[in-house]
């Protein structure tokens, strides 16, 4: 049973940086694809980034600013967010998936379990 615990959210000024962490339990953690999603008020949950089989994937709006990484020894996935913009404001969720096919990683339906979410607020 994989469980995810998120941390690192908070309030930051536009142009600043923030690092989110997602600590996962489970012996098979390294076999999971890991994703980050976000949901802003009034909007659907949106794919942000994923890491699977050593490759990383990003939505266009964060490419070049966000970096997803994995530290297997600590069972932790990170989302480093630089050059933050007000439109990045959202609740951010990490999630794990046993499905690693790259063409499916943007789909929320393949992920289970999910973290509880952490609020990121970027002021202008």
């Amino acid at each position: 049973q994989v469980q995810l615990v998120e941390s690192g959210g908070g309030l930051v000024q536009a142009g600043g940086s923030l690092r989110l962490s997602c600590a996962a339990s489970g012996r098979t953690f390294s076999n999971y694809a890991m994703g980050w999603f976000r949901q802003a008020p009034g909007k659907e949950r949106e794919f942000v980034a994923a890491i699977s089989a050593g490759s990383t994937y990003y939505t266009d709006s964060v490419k070049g600013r966000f970096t997803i990484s994995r530290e297997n020894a600590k069972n932790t996935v990170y989302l480093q967010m630089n050059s933050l913009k007000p439109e990045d404001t959202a609740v951010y969720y990490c999630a794990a998936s046993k499905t690693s096919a790259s063409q499916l990683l943007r789909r929320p339906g393949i992920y289970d379990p999910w973290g509880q979410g952490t609020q990121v607020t970027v002021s202008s």
Side-chain angles (χ1 to χ4, degrees):
Q1 182 180 359
V2 174
Q3 294 179 308
L4 307 177
V5 179
E6 298 161 320
S7 62
L11 175 64
V12 65
Q13 190 173 345
S17 298
L18 205 61
R19 188 180 74 165
L20 305 183
S21 298
C22 177
S25 63
R27 185 171 296 177
T28 61
F29 170 77
S30 63
N31 296 325
Y32 281 71
M34 299 295 299
W36 286 96
F37 290 76
R38 65 188 182 187
Q39 188 166 22
K43 296 185 178 181
E44 294 184 357
R45 191 165 298 187
E46 174 192 24
F47 170 80
V48 177
I51 184 166
S52 178
S55 298
T56 58
Y57 309 85
Y58 301 93
T59 192
D60 288 343
S61 63
V62 309
K63 190 174 182 180
R65 300 188 297 120
F66 291 11
T67 302
I68 186 171
S69 62
R70 192 176 209 155
E71 190 169 1
N72 287 332
K74 295 184 177 181
N75 284 334
T76 301
V77 174
Y78 305 96
L79 184 67
Q80 178 66 47
M81 304 184 294
N82 298 327
S83 302
L84 283 162
K85 304 175 180 179
E87 50 262 45
D88 295 318
T89 295
V91 177
Y92 283 70
Y93 301 87
C94 67
S97 176
K98 295 181 180 179
T99 299
S100 60
S102 61
Q103 65 270 30
L104 302 177
L105 293 174
R106 295 175 179 266
R107 302 174 62 178
I110 73 168
Y111 293 91
D112 185 18
W114 292 76
Q116 79 286 350
T118 185
Q119 176 70 48
V120 172
T121 302
V122 184
S123 62
S124 60

